[in-house]
């Protein structure tokens, strides 16, 4: 349904190839920019709020988050039932260490008195710059320049530099630096996609103390009992007098300093903030000591060293990951922002994953969904394989919880991963669009397959991947059955597929097809590696059962329409009345009861179409085209996961114009706030998906068991596309134009790949 | 699935034809007996608790309730969605006025010191008797006899007589009489069928005062803001000294009296308690005055007059409603208790209905379900047609709320009644087994049809019935559609039928069949009475559409099995593994996630079988037998609404042995606590259903458009069955034995009925 009117969004940040320039302050955009100017390093994330806090009365959403750390609270049901999810996890919101407030002659320096104001997030170095001039009521002009970054090399560290220049006076100014764990969270009423993130709801203060030019707080996360320490240190010119602490309340520590400015002479102060957590039961003295040591190390290194480290990390990242689009600055900025956000949000420590909104906001409570496996890991496998492995390692660490969940759901064997979680237990409070999405298991298997095909990492398979594959495969045989009433075909009932506008159906094509793919892959590996089968207790009978299930898997098909049926009943339903659905009734989920939506042929997002994209060459292009032609007009794309997949699907089936349209939707979904909710966080899956649109869609890159395939079909609007791939210990750079494709092997052993089906061998230095 | 082991329940009350004798006190049974010895009059109900309160440490559930009055609170969802039910109503639990405590020499007289203890609920007069002897530590013996009833003639009145006899001493005893609105409610963890009923949660105290030998409290119900006044007066022998009030706390008023007993000389005191409510915004002074007047009138009438009124009311009730079973005292007691409970619980004022557990406990929060329409009204239509009309009038009063609900559910026209409610708004917090049960609309239509066929009440149809029929019919055309992919047959999608172990399906046979019945009935009436159609704005086009929907209604049928399919997908599912489901895993809903249950062919209760019973002669006996043979083995009967219907179904299809088995299950379901949860209230629908088992099942009574049909097939165990029927202004008495049927016209015009299909004419005095 490409005709659906999206309210046109203004571009709130200016265009630039490597920057996000924020050239004007508008209260209505403050919260959106908090998201867009977020900083993170996969562990620690903080939103792009002003150092002095949000202007009075302006909607805002202060937030600093730790990935993989969470509070937990009981889920309340009006009417509960057996094995309903018991607790909701929330990504831990921690103390705000960004606070730096200046006052002149007792007047607070804030946006109200600004003569000019610019910010700029530099994606090449991961630094947020701010530069503004403020004027007092008596005419004193003060220039404030700040640089803020979250260290990529030191996971716990936030760094801020503030430079003050008195433009037309000399004299004292007061600086106050604070650590604030008392700030309120944000809640947007009546939108189930947005969680409440009130810091007081999630943290219990255990200790706090002011230290010389800084302070420290120790909290415990409610429900999970994890410990979190936050501490900071201000670095000021020697002999800056500290004023007595003005305010020291519970959850609020502040240091005040008297600075003397000489007209025209810049004065810089630095603030270093460290956040560190430990599991329940940890030695808190040790935890605090570690944090203090980290803080001390950073202080000793000093701002310039820290900044250099930062620049180096990002330089290295972009060397292996950059994607250049010639001829369209907006798309270029969009795709870089998307890659930048993925790098900032993905957990790197094997104890965390990537939340649906990364570390950029409270949306979806910071939960991990299948977004990771179907959208992010296939990208990371080709850009940052080490990081992809860490994301999968995190899922592996939660395999025991998935086994326990399978038992709760009355499955005797196997593992069932939760639809949404942080700590490993199912957190979905609405099971028809939660627990019923059993396809999360197939998504994890798909990600393992994607990573393995791209990396060839047998060590990972032996130590983690195979066990996850086997345990999730076992679950399918528990869930599905060989239906005697249908010739013994393998059927899977009462599940919800990716399209959440259809729930609890029999034989969802996507699910069945993905399970078939999973079981086939699993059987191939185990047949080739009997030692893995032995170690994991897979008998030949079990293996045979999986092979049988894969080969007899029922993939619903309507012979009259010659299309795959989304499920057993979908095609029998009434079609949604799009003609009489005004634009303001989208997204449908906010304007119609689920039963109304479920009753109709209407899709939130790609389902059959997604399966066909993921199944690659197992489905013929003609079949893909028929399925697409039927389902796309029924799709609202109310989910941000939809446009990118449709872009690939149209590219695969030769409709480059529509592929380009959908790519445009996804490439700048957050920068242009297409879904109107970026203020609570970016759309991580869509960001990854936009890279897939370019690389899988337009460049036709496919990673198959027998090698790497490339079949570019560039839209004429895109002059040239250049991107990097890591493939089986090699680094490739690929340049595509409307007429030619050029592959360079930048690092690694010679490689044979397939360009438009023909084998081509690359050796280092020898460019195709 | 008749083989399912029900844990054998002991009979907690002794057998008797007209009484419920309670001959021994056992702490474990206290709460169950509170339910069984409940008293009520359709407006006011109170549980059979001891006057002095429950013994310490014994599980109990004090409760006094007002029907149709409720508190309301927001429903909390872990994850909400558009048009989810917003508030939960709770049947209002009001102050306990039963409190009468005696002490001798500062020793509390309670069950701990009882030498003997009997109670007996007399169903012929609606009076609960208690008679016990207590001995003090020093050997003083006191006999306590009480009679308690809720007046059938004065809806607001509870009456208690307490007679004290000092058996071996003379001297003072202290009596304290209280009104207690501070008592705790009851909550059984982890059972979604049981609500929490804490009086403090639902009532805000606005005024309270002690009055001479009594007192008064004024409360406001939370959420609904209804006003409730409770006041009482003690009647004591002249010159009994009142002691100063010992305790007067918020929500607790107490009067103490010093009584002087002479050995062997009984002394009686009477306590009158009045409860009365008014809507939010009412004049509370006037409300209190009315209650005081009601109290004064009762006091003036005196205990004996009140008792006589009570006896007369019940005498009259039984004259028109009694059912005699010769040869089985247990069944006789069971069926009388069921009729007695129906009469006590059904609202009579047109502003209330009959809750799933009547006025006997907190189960299901006192909500009204379809139980009323499919189970109770068909019985009441033949026993107490005036009362049936009042129940329907109550639904009519909530038609505006049902219209509003239809709009919330995106239906442009028509009315959608809530699955569960008290005040008219949808209170179901789990929509797959709540709002999705659209068949509530068809149930209301079925009840209107049942009442109209039994009573011939055209005035009701003109003023209320037809409008409800039309508005609920309109909804079906909004919900269903003529499916172009299936030859234009009328289909209804994404609904849940009566079997709650299967949810959100397409073309539930029960729903479709009942809608067909409704639309046909509605069209017949409107065709015969064009003025009704005109008044209600039913155009000829609309009428034609309904006729078309009825005639093209899709009733799923499996030609291979030659049975009706419960829905489009049911027969494709895997059968439940009954063999490996131990007895302690029932009811399934408490031991399996809904998805596990939904995935299998397993029924909670009659669904297809229920439709066939309600459709009467529209389905052939052979078809009914095949459907029954397929579905019954898949049915757990976890719902108390199932056994009675299966009894009728087996009787209809000639299996009298199994019919008798299921009847036995339902006739004494509460007296024998078959479902193990009668402690939170009786099972009203089952009670009505047990009468249907006898009258529809064994006596073969059917009320059809063309008259009254009778076709008895008595099980040999039942020597004789005699029952009453009110049919179109007549009172009939019907006596059935294994070999003959005898019909007597006790009142009314001559009548032709059909006995085993043959017309027979009855005139007064002329018995067939």
């Amino acid at each position: 349904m490409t005709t659906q009117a999206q309210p046109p969004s203004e571009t709130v940040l200016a265009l630039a190839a490597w920057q996000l320039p924020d050239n004007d302050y508008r209260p209505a955009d403050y919260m959106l920019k908090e998201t867009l100017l977020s900083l993170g390093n996969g562990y620690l994330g903080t939103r792009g709020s002003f150092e002095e806090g949000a202007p009075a009365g302006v909607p805002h959403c202060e937030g600093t988050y730790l990935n993989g750390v969470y509070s937990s609270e009981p889920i309340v049901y009006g009417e509960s039932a057996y094995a309903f999810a018991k607790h909701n996890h929330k990504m831990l919101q921690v103390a705000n260490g960004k606070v730096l407030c200046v006052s002149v002659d007792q007047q607070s320096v804030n946006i109200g008195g600004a003569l000019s104001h610019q910010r700029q997030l530099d994606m090449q170095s991961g630094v947020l710059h701010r530069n503004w001039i403020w004027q007092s009521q008596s005419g004193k002009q003060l220039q404030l320049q700040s640089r803020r970054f979250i260290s990529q090399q030191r996971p716990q560290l936030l760094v801020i530099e503030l430079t003050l220049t008195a433009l037309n006076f000399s004299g004292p100014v007061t600086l106050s630096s604070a650590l604030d764990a008392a700030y309120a969270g944000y809640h947007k009423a009546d939108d189930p996609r947005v969680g409440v993130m009130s810091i007081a709801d999630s943290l219990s203060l255990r200790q706090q103390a002011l230290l010389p030019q800084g302070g420290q707080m120790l909290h415990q996360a409610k429900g999970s009992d994890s410990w979190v320490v936050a501490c900071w240190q201000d670095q000021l010119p020697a002999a800056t007098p500290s004023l007595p602490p003005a305010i020291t309340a519970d959850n609020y520590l502040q240091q005040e300093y008297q600075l003397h400015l000489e007209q025209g002479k810049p004065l810089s102060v630095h603030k270093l903030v460290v956040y560190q957590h430990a599991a329940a039961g940890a030695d808190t003295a040790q935890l605090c000591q570690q944090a203090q040591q980290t803080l001390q190390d950073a202080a000793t290194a000093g701002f310039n060293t820290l900044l250099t480290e930062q620049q180096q990390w990002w330089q290295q990242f972009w060397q292996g990951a950059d994607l250049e689009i010639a001829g369209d600055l907006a798309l270029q900025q969009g795709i870089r922002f998307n890659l930048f956000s993925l790098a900032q949000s993905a957990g790197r420590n094997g104890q965390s994953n990537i939340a649906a909104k990364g570390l950029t906001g409270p949306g979806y409570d910071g939960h991990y969904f299948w977004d990771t496996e179907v959208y992010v890991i296939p990208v990371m496998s080709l850009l940052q394989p080490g990081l992809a492995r860490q994301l999968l390692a995190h899922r592996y660490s939660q395999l025991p919880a998935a086994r326990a969940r399978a038992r709760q759901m009355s499955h005797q064997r196997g593992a069932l991963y939760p639809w949404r979680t942080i700590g490993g237990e199912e957190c979905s409070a609405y099971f028809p669009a939660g627990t019923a999405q059993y396809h999360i298991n197939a998504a994890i298997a798909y990600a393992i397959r994607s990573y393995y095909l791209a990396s060839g990492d047998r060590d990972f398979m032996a130590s983690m991947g195979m066990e996850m594959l086997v345990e999730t495969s076992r679950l399918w045989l528990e869930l599905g059955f060989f239906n005697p009433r249908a010739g013994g075909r393998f059927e899977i009932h009462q599940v919800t597929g990716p399209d959440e506008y259809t729930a609890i159906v029999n034989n969802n094509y996507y699910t069945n097809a993905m399970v078939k793919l999973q079981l086939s892959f699993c059987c191939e590996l185990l047949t080739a590696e009997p030692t893995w089968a032995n170690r994991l207790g897979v008998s030949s009978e079990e293996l045979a059962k999986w092979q049988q299930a894969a080969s007899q898997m029922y993939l619903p098909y309507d012979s009259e329409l010659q299309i795959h049926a989304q499920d057993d009943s979908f095609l029998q339903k009434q079609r949604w009345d799009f003609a009489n659905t005004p634009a303001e009734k989208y997204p449908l989920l906010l304007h119609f009861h689920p039963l109304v939506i479920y009753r109709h042929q209407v899709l939130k997002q790609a389902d059959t179409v997604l399966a066909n994209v993921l199944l690659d060459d197992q489905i013929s292009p003609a079949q893909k085209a028929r399925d697409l032609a039927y389902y796309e007009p029924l799709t609202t794309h109310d989910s941000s996961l939809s446009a990118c997949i449709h872009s690939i699907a149209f590219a695969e089936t030769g409709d480059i114009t529509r592929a380009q349209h959908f790519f445009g939707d996804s490439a700048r979904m957050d920068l242009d706030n297409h879904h109107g909710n970026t203020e609570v966080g970016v759309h991580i899956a869509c960001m990854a998906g936009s890279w897939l649109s370019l690389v899988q869609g337009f460049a036709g890159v496919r990673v198959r068991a027998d090698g790497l395939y490339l079949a570019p079909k560039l839209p004429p609007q895109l002059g040239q596309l250049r991107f990097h791939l890591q493939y089986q210990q090699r680094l490739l750079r690929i340049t595509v134009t409307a007429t030619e494709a050029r592959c360079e092997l930048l690092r690694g052993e010679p490689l044979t790949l397939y360009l438009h089906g023909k084998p081509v061998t690359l050796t280092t230095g020898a460019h195709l």
Side-chain angles (χ1 to χ4, degrees), chain A:
Chain A
M1 211 199 62
T2 48
T3 54
Q4 182 200 328
Q6 287 288 354
S9 315
E10 288 181 47
T11 298
V12 295
L13 301 174
L15 297 184
W18 279 106
Q19 287 83 29
L20 302 182
D22 171 23
N23 293 329
D24 32 35
Y25 166 73
R26 279 179 299 192
D29 295 336
Y30 181 82
M31 205 162 108
L32 176 59
K33 289 176 184 172
E34 280 186 311
T35 298
L36 296 176
L37 304 180
S38 285
L39 297 170
N41 62 11
Y43 175 68
L44 170 64
T46 196
R47 285 168 60 85
S49 320
F50 290 165
E51 288 81 4
E52 70 277 17
V58 170
H60 65 280
C61 176
E62 180 58 60
T64 299
Y65 310 102
L66 292 189
N67 194 7
V69 194
Y70 60 95
S71 61
S72 172
E73 57 188 29
I75 300 175
V76 177
Y77 295 96
E79 192 175 335
S80 187
Y82 184 83
F84 270 20
K86 294 275 182 297
H87 300 96
N88 188 41
H89 296 175
K90 291 191 178 181
M91 177 168 71
L92 206 64
Q93 184 157 324
V94 291
N96 176 18
K98 291 173 292 193
V99 185
L100 281 173
C101 300
V102 177
S103 59
V104 176
D105 301 344
Q106 262 96 53
Q107 290 175 44
S108 295
V109 175
N110 60 38
I111 196 81
L115 300 179
S116 68
H117 186 268
Q118 287 95 33
R119 289 190 291 178
Q120 180 162 286
L121 177 53
D122 178 14
M123 298 187 283
Q124 242 170 338
S125 61
V127 176
L128 176 63
H129 300 261
R130 187 183 185 193
N131 185 1
W132 55 305
I133 294 170
W134 174 87
Q135 181 170 279
S136 74
Q137 284 164 0
S138 63
K140 287 183 178 172
Q141 291 185 355
L142 180 69
Q143 180 175 26
L144 300 97
Q145 292 165 289
S146 72
R147 291 191 283 180
R148 180 198 297 178
F149 59 91
I150 284 187
S151 170
Q152 301 302 317
Q153 311 259 34
R154 303 172 191 243
Q156 297 86 9
L157 184 66
L158 164 70
V159 180
I160 307 174
E161 176 190 67
L162 175 63
T163 302
L164 303 176
T165 311
L167 298 181
N168 61 357
F169 71 101
S170 291
V173 305
T174 304
L175 173 71
S176 76
S177 173
L179 188 63
D180 176 8
Y183 64 91
Y186 164 74
H187 178 53
K188 186 177 175 186
D190 291 332
D191 186 341
R193 298 169 301 180
V194 184
V196 186
M197 281 280 194
S198 168
I199 186 162
D201 287 347
S202 50
L203 286 183
S204 302
L205 181 66
R206 299 299 182 210
Q207 287 173 21
Q208 68 175 23
L210 282 171
L211 301 171
Q213 297 195 341
Q216 178 176 296
M217 288 180 185
L218 178 69
H219 285 102
Q220 201 163 17
K222 290 183 185 169
S224 73
D225 293 343
S226 293
W227 292 97
V228 181
V229 63
C231 52
W232 101 92
Q233 196 180 107
D234 299 314
Q235 296 183 303
L236 296 118
T240 300
S242 269
L243 299 176
I247 303 171
T248 307
D250 268 5
N251 280 316
Y252 195 90
L253 295 175
Q254 179 176 303
Q255 297 275 10
E256 276 199 342
Y257 310 101
Q258 191 77 274
L259 302 176
H260 183 81
L261 300 184
E262 283 180 41
Q263 184 170 343
K265 190 173 165 199
L267 184 155
S268 292
V269 300
H270 298 105
K271 182 172 187 178
L272 305 172
V273 193
V274 162
Y275 301 89
Q276 197 155 352
H277 83 280
D283 179 337
T284 55
Q286 197 181 3
L287 173 68
C288 293
Q289 200 181 349
Q290 283 169 351
Q292 285 295 336
Q293 187 60 52
T294 305
L295 188 60
Q296 206 44 61
D297 291 349
T300 305
F303 181 81
N304 288 334
T305 301
L306 297 172
L307 180 62
T308 304
E309 286 175 7
Q310 181 77 350
Q311 288 161 335
Q312 284 168 345
W313 192 94
W314 280 107
Q315 189 178 16
Q316 198 162 13
F317 171 81
W318 288 116
Q319 276 172 3
D322 189 31
L323 189 152
E324 292 169 67
I325 303 178
D328 194 317
L329 189 57
L331 292 179
Q332 175 67 73
Q333 185 186 40
I335 195 76
R336 285 223 176 94
F337 178 59
N338 294 349
L339 291 171
F340 179 72
S341 297
L342 287 172
Q344 288 203 124
S345 286
R348 303 174 190 172
N349 58 5
Q351 293 159 25
S352 54
N353 215 298
I354 185 163
K357 297 192 171 286
L359 290 162
T360 70
Y364 294 116
D365 287 342
H367 287 177
Y368 310 139
F369 295 79
W370 70 315
D371 307 40
T372 299
E373 279 80 13
V374 169
Y375 292 80
V376 177
I377 288 181
V379 175
M380 289 300 182
S381 296
L382 290 168
L383 287 184
Q384 296 265 302
L387 205 149
R389 180 178 164 137
Q390 287 299 75
L391 296 177
L392 288 168
H394 174 255
R395 285 290 190 190
Y396 182 72
S397 76
Q398 297 190 337
L399 185 56
R403 284 197 186 95
R405 180 61 178 161
R407 303 300 163 272
Q408 287 168 14
M409 294 299 292
S410 304
H411 303 297
Q412 304 303 311
R413 307 190 73 201
L416 174 59
Y417 277 93
W419 175 244
R420 54 192 296 177
T421 191
I422 297 176
E425 72 175 308
E426 174 65 272
C427 293
S428 166
Y430 177 63
F431 80 83
T435 298
Q437 297 202 48
Y438 272 76
H439 66 84
I440 179 73
N441 259 20
I444 290 170
Y446 175 79
I448 293 168
R449 182 173 173 274
S450 298
Y451 171 70
Y452 180 62
L453 293 183
S455 69
D457 184 350
R458 288 177 53 82
D459 170 73
F460 165 75
M461 293 306 287
S463 61
M464 295 185 270
M466 206 62 232
E467 190 176 345
M468 283 192 277
L469 263 183
V470 162
E471 284 291 273
T472 53
S473 294
R474 280 183 172 135
L475 198 277
W476 295 121
L477 274 286
E478 288 276 323
L479 181 68
F481 71 114
F482 297 94
N483 191 345
R485 271 179 60 97
R489 69 190 186 196
F490 195 77
E491 301 197 359
I492 298 174
H493 288 183
Q494 301 288 288
V495 299
T496 298
D499 165 29
E500 293 179 342
Y501 285 175
T502 307
I504 313 186
V505 296
N506 294 349
N507 295 312
N508 168 250
Y509 167 71
Y510 172 89
T511 304
N512 288 18
M514 293 299 287
V515 173
K516 182 183 171 83
L517 185 70
Q518 163 172 359
L519 293 177
S520 302
F521 177 61
C522 186
C523 290
E524 279 162 28
L525 290 179
L526 292 178
T527 305
E529 294 277 359
T531 56
W532 290 355
N534 289 341
R535 192 172 58 76
L536 296 166
V538 181
S539 67
S540 55
E541 291 74 22
E542 188 170 23
L543 197 58
K545 213 69 174 165
W546 295 352
Q547 273 157 339
Q548 190 190 354
S551 69
Q552 292 174 223
M553 182 67 67
Y554 174 52
L555 300 178
Y557 191 80
D558 187 278
S559 51
E560 191 186 323
L561 297 169
Q562 293 196 288
I563 59 167
H564 286 107
Q566 184 171 316
D567 57 63
D568 279 358
S569 61
F570 185 87
L571 296 175
Q572 289 301 323
K573 294 181 185 174
Q574 205 167 6
R575 293 169 72 98
W576 186 266
D577 184 3
F578 291 99
N580 289 307
T581 307
E584 65 269 21
K585 292 282 192 180
Y586 295 89
L588 301 184
L589 68 99
L590 297 186
H591 300 94
F592 298 91
H593 190 282
L595 281 171
V596 179
I597 298 172
Y598 295 168
R599 207 159 61 227
H600 292 90
Q601 291 191 36
V602 59
L603 286 81
K604 186 178 175 193
Q605 65 196 94
D607 197 285
T608 299
V609 167
L610 174 59
N612 286 348
V613 165
L614 301 185
L615 289 173
D616 188 15
D617 57 351
Q618 298 189 18
I619 310 293
S620 75
Q623 184 60 54
K624 289 189 182 192
R626 284 196 301 274
D627 288 348
L628 184 59
Y630 187 85
Y631 288 105
E632 196 286 324
L634 297 171
T635 305
T636 61
H637 307 292
D638 283 348
S639 162
S640 65
L641 280 64
S642 195
C644 53
I645 299 301
H646 279 82
S647 174
I648 301 170
F650 278 112
E652 280 189 328
T653 55
D655 188 341
I656 295 298
T657 306
R658 300 199 68 194
Q660 165 74 1
H661 164 84
F662 278 109
F663 167 66
D665 248 23
S666 59
R668 293 183 55 86
M669 187 169 283
D670 289 306
L671 286 180
D672 294 345
N673 196 14
H674 283 168
H675 278 242
N677 61 3
T678 294
E679 71 271 14
V680 294
V682 299
H683 298 79
I684 285 290
C686 171
M687 291 175 143
S690 68
W691 186 89
L692 293 172
S693 298
L694 287 171
V695 173
Q696 282 195 13
F698 298 144
V701 168
R702 286 291 187 288
V703 183
R704 295 180 182 144
D706 60 346
L708 185 64
Y709 286 73
L710 194 64
K713 282 177 284 189
L714 211 59
Q717 298 94 321
L718 301 184
Q720 178 183 290
L721 191 65
R722 169 176 287 177
F723 56 93
H724 296 80
L725 290 184
Q726 293 202 36
Y727 177 73
Q728 301 198 352
Q729 330 300 328
R730 299 166 184 89
L731 177 61
L732 309 178
R733 182 167 58 197
I734 295 169
T735 310
V736 173
T737 68
T739 53
E740 61 173 358
R742 176 179 158 90
C743 304
E744 300 167 85
L745 180 62
L746 303 185
R747 198 173 65 226
E749 299 293 308
L751 169 74
T752 299
L753 53 73
Y754 299 87
L755 180 60
H756 291 298
K758 291 185 192 140
V760 177
T761 301
L762 301 183
T763 54
T764 314
H767 303 156
L768 176 73

